[in-house]
Amino acid sequence: MLPISLCPEAVPVALVGQGDKAVRRLAQLDEGGFSVTVFADDPSPDLVLAAGDRLRRRLPTASDLGTHRLLLVADLDEGRAADLALLARRLGLLVNVEDRTALCDFHLPAIVRRGDLVVAISTGGHSPRLAARLRMAAERLIHRDWGARLARLGLLRSELRAQGKGPDEITRAVDAVIDREGWLGRPGA
């Protein structure tokens, strides 16, 4: 397994689903800034509301999938999910079918997001519940102010680079802020 972070601008996503799982997956994709087209031949009222004008009230065709890079499937019976996964792979898309590890090219981690700080927890599809529990623990440890902390460090890094500072100097400066502020506990403690 190789965890990666995808640039949402470069990876249009097709989401196929009907109900609550599709709504949750759409919220996660929206939070990540992805461009999503939602396909559902029998969408729940909640999915209709969440998807808005991105909803296509049918399953995707090869032509539909050809404009996307990822296919995510939730709330769809195994037969139709397997058929869509096969079609998507033929078109070069990577596929994730929720709760169907054998149909997946990749697994979606449990995520803690604090601004641009993203912590991902993956069990490689073996135990989504463990990943969810670890995510809940991480949410308690990584408070909401970590997004602002990261933004502060990003500004510092940009300023130092603009001054012509090298990687070692930047690393020392960032470490000094982290240590001085005690963000990760006191050094040597």
Side-chain angles (χ1 to χ4, degrees), residues 27 38 47 50 55 57 66 73 79 91 100 106 108 116 125-126 149 151-152 155 159 165 169 171:
V38 180
L47 183 58
L55 177 64
R57 291 178 178 265
V73 180
L91 297 169
R100 302 283 197 277
F106 65 96
L108 294 166
D116 287 333
H126 294 290
R149 291 175 181 185
R152 179 178 164 193
L155 286 174
E159 289 169 4
K165 304 293 184 190
E169 290 174 286
T171 296

Side-chain angles (χ1 to χ4, degrees), residues 106-121:
F106 65 96
H107 305 287
L108 294 166
I111 295 174
V112 177
R113 185 181 304 276
R114 303 292 188 245
D116 287 333
L117 176 65
V118 178
V119 177
I121 301 163

